[in-house]
């Protein structure tokens, strides 16, 4: 499914349930601004290569645009539009004074050298420089980018401005204005949510089993936290395959293996076997965490799921058709904009710290993150229970009502 069509459909479903004013729906369905740029890079062998990049600002109605930059061969303009829209819902849901944006470059970062990656990052930043900035739009890491990418973006923007402006991007290294806890924030937020969900339903997290799709910035952190909490992580996958063990995988060992630069799929552990990725969603478990890309749980495989709860670490992993199937099966979906909001929340903290030039310690970051994300969880859960609707619909209702109020209050210029 085209991700932008999917994002608009999710909005329409909730707009219909809420009897949202059709003018507001029109307003929220459109993209505020979208820039397509061409990025020429001199490769290490002297040849020129041209890459295509995007920066999409879906909404700045509640504040500057916010959202990551994705480097992937699969990036399309429509994917970036969908991701920007989801960011608008996410920042609104958690009541951050920010809007929704996203960027992307169609490139496989694994195929580039360190120098080539630096060049592509700097040229991409230069091409979008007029529309980003602490009071306009603040990029962050996403799939295929990291703290180093943000350091190059910050430096490029600062060099063009004649002064250091750390607040132009978040997710930077701590040494140059990053926030403690930002690199693990999405996984930390996911853990706070699942812990609270279990408490609310009087479930024992320790006796539950989990499968995690993706072992990157999000999947590896939530897997480690669950493992540390004494919960069994029985399956972990990446692009090359899935590890499965009924007894649970030693996540600390797997993490050490990957951190030492070795190939994920070459990891060996007694009782852990490799199964093909096509069988990942058939694994019987309690908690299923898609923590890779969008469009993973679709009408074609939703029927195969054998779990109690889906905790969405990725953005847009479940299609609206799949949502219906899961609801019928009694599987609860804790939606992306609620569950994976930790990254955006701590990005907001980083932005606040940069602007004030006053930095917090990890304890303060995590305790404020917990306060915001659990408060959102409580609000979403209350509405879902009262209205007997899925958590996704409840989360969308909160996010969209807040945006609708902002649109009404600001009116339409001129
Ligand atoms: N890329 C992350 C997300 O999808 C973080 C965005 C941000 O921090 O701006 O939520």
């Amino acid at each position: 499914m085209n991700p932008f069509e999917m994002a608009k459909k999710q909005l329409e479903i909730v707009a219909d349930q809420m009897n949202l004013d059709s003018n507001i729906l029109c307003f929220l369905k459109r993209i505020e601004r979208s820039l397509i740029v061409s990025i020429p890079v001199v490769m290490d062998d002297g040849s020129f290569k041209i890459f295509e990049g995007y920066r999409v600002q879906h909404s700045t109605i509640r504040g500057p645009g916010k959202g990551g930059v994705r480097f992937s061969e699969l990036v399309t303009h429509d994917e970036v539009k969908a991701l920007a829209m989801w960011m608008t819902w996410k920042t609104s849901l958690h009541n951050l004074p920010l809007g929704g944006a996203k960027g992307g470059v169609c490139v496989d970062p694994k195929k580039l050298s360190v120098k080539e990656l630096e060049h592509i990052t700097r040229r991409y930043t230069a091409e979008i420089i007029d529309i980003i900035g602490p009071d306009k739009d603040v990029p962050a890491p996403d799939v295929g980018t990291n703290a180093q990418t943000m350091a190059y973006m910050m430096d490029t923007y600062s060099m063009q401005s004649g002064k250091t402006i750390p607040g132009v991007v978040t997710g930077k290294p701590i040494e140059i204005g990053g926030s403690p806890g930002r690199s693990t924030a999405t996984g930390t937020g996911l853990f706070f949510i699942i812990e609270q969900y279990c408490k609310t339903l009087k479930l024992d997290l320790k006796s539950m089993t989990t499968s995690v799709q993706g072992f990157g910035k999000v999947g590896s952190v939530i897997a480690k936290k669950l493992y540390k909490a004494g919960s069994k992580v029985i399956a972990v996958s990446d692009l090359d395959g899935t590890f499965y063990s009924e007894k649970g995988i030693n996540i600390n060992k797997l993490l050490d293996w990957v951190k030492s630069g070795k190939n994920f799929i070459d990891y060996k552990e007694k009782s852990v076997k490799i199964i093909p990725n096509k069988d990942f969603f058939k694994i019987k478990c309690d908690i299923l965490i898609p923590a890779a890309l969008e469009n993973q749980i679709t009408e074609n495989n939703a029927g195969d799921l054998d779990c109690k709860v889906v905790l969405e670490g990725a953005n847009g992993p479940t299609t609206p058709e799949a949502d219906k199937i899961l609801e019928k099966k009694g599987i609860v979906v804790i939606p992306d904009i609620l569950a994976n909001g930790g990254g955006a929340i701590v990005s907001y903290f980083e932005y606040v710290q940069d602007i004030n030039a006053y930095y917090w310690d990890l304890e303060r970051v995590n305790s404020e993150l917990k306060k915001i994300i659990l408060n959102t969880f409580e609000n979403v859960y209350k509405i879902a229970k009262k209205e007997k609707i899925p958590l996704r619909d409840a989360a969308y209702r909160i996010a969209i009502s807040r945006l609708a109020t902002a649109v009404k209050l600001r009116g339409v210029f001129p």
Side-chain angles (χ1 to χ4, degrees):
M1 188 176 189
N2 174 308
F4 188 47
E5 293 309 317
M6 169 177 153
K8 284 191 286 188
K9 192 163 177 190
Q10 288 172 324
L11 168 64
E12 279 163 9
I13 292 170
V14 181
D16 192 44
Q17 290 171 4
M18 292 168 72
N19 282 322
L20 186 73
D21 181 333
S22 60
N23 291 318
I24 303 280
L25 176 61
C26 241
F27 195 98
L28 294 179
K29 247 166 109 174
R30 103 268 177 260
I31 297 290
E32 243 174 54
R33 180 192 265 159
S34 174
L35 186 59
I36 303 179
V37 297
S38 147
I39 307 162
V41 176
V42 182
M43 306 301 278
D44 291 349
D45 65 3
S47 67
F48 288 10
K49 258 201 184 147
I50 316 286
F51 299 90
E52 187 159 282
Y54 314 94
R55 186 69 191 173
V56 174
Q57 292 159 356
H58 168 254
S59 171
T60 55
I61 193 90
R62 299 185 67 260
K66 190 80 198 81
V69 175
R70 181 170 289 200
F71 281 2
S72 152
E73 247 171 350
L74 303 174
V75 162
T76 64
H77 193 198
D78 272 357
E79 182 195 31
V80 180
K81 284 192 212 168
L83 291 162
M85 189 181 250
W86 288 326
M87 282 308 300
T88 303
W89 311 151
K90 197 183 297 185
T91 53
S92 175
L93 173 66
H94 296 283
N95 210 3
L96 310 176
L98 297 166
K102 204 86 179 192
V105 178
C106 188
V107 60
D108 180 354
K110 286 198 207 90
K111 288 192 187 146
L112 296 187
S113 70
V114 173
K115 263 271 149 290
E116 289 164 346
L117 257 181
E118 177 179 348
H119 288 316
I120 205 169
T121 305
R122 288 189 182 277
R123 183 62 187 254
Y124 169 68
T125 310
E127 293 295 336
I128 62 165
I129 209 155
D130 289 336
I131 65 164
I132 59 170
D135 49 3
K136 289 185 184 171
D137 178 5
V138 186
D142 195 78
V143 175
T145 55
N146 54 29
Q148 182 60 65
T149 320
M150 295 305 116
Y152 292 144
M153 288 190 77
M154 185 275 252
D155 184 71
T156 305
Y157 186 85
S158 298
M159 288 301 104
Q160 298 300 317
S161 311
K163 54 183 186 266
T164 295
I165 306 181
V168 64
V169 289
T170 58
K172 297 177 294 296
I174 291 180
E175 295 81 354
I176 51 168
S179 174
R182 174 59 188 88
S183 61
T184 49
T186 309
T188 306
L190 283 170
F191 184 74
F192 288 149
I193 291 277
I194 195 66
E195 199 182 33
Q196 189 61 26
Y197 176 81
C198 290
K199 247 189 228 161
T200 311
L201 270 81
K202 303 203 166 40
L203 300 166
D204 177 19
L205 191 56
K206 281 199 180 80
S207 64
M208 294 172 87
T209 56
T210 303
S211 301
V212 186
Q213 183 198 32
F215 203 62
K217 291 192 283 281
V218 180
S220 67
V221 176
I222 182 66
K224 186 179 172 185
K225 289 194 178 281
L226 287 167
Y227 179 72
K228 195 173 165 209
S231 176
K232 245 194 235 170
V233 181
I234 58 165
V236 175
S237 78
D238 94 339
L239 281 174
D240 295 328
T242 298
F243 290 124
Y244 175 78
S245 166
E246 221 173 291
K247 289 191 188 148
I249 301 163
N250 185 328
I251 298 297
N252 286 346
K253 273 197 187 158
L254 177 57
L255 258 175
D256 287 345
W257 177 267
V258 172
K259 275 192 187 148
S260 71
K262 296 190 185 98
N263 263 342
F264 173 88
I265 205 66
D266 296 333
Y267 174 75
K268 301 232 167 359
E269 187 186 325
K270 228 171 127 194
S271 89
V272 174
K273 56 180 184 187
I274 297 176
I275 60 170
N277 277 347
K278 68 173 176 40
D279 294 333
F280 176 81
F281 286 112
K282 295 181 190 150
I283 297 167
K284 182 179 167 55
C285 58
D286 297 307
I287 307 165
L288 176 69
I289 309 181
L293 291 173
E294 62 272 10
N295 244 326
Q296 297 301 302
I297 306 173
T298 66
E299 58 194 316
N300 300 326
N301 64 4
D304 296 340
L305 263 63
D306 193 356
C307 62
K308 295 195 177 80
V309 50
V310 174
L311 180 69
E312 293 187 335
N315 292 313
T318 315
T319 65
E321 288 76 17
D323 263 337
K324 274 189 225 146
I325 299 170
L326 298 183
E327 195 186 349
K328 267 197 206 120
K329 285 171 69 112
I331 297 176
V332 173
V333 178
I334 309 186
D336 47 7
I337 59 169
L338 167 61
N340 74 26
I345 294 169
V346 177
S347 270
Y348 166 57
F349 297 158
E350 180 171 330
Y351 164 79
V352 168
Q353 293 170 71
D354 288 337
I355 287 171
N356 291 309
Y358 182 78
Y359 289 89
W360 309 355
D361 59 18
L362 180 62
E363 211 186 331
R364 176 165 176 200
V365 168
N366 280 340
S367 96
E368 300 225 11
L369 163 62
K370 193 169 187 179
K371 204 159 67 188
I372 293 186
I373 208 162
L374 292 189
N375 180 44
T376 307
F377 175 80
E378 214 177 286
N379 294 338
V380 171
Y381 192 80
K382 239 191 259 162
I383 294 183
K385 209 161 173 206
K386 185 164 161 247
E387 306 287 333
K388 298 191 174 56
I389 55 173
L391 293 169
R392 187 183 320 278
D393 295 1
Y396 266 61
R397 279 195 200 187
I398 297 174
I400 288 158
S401 310
R402 232 172 236 146
L403 282 150
T405 307
V407 174
K408 280 184 201 145
L409 286 169
R410 288 186 60 161
V412 176
F413 175 83

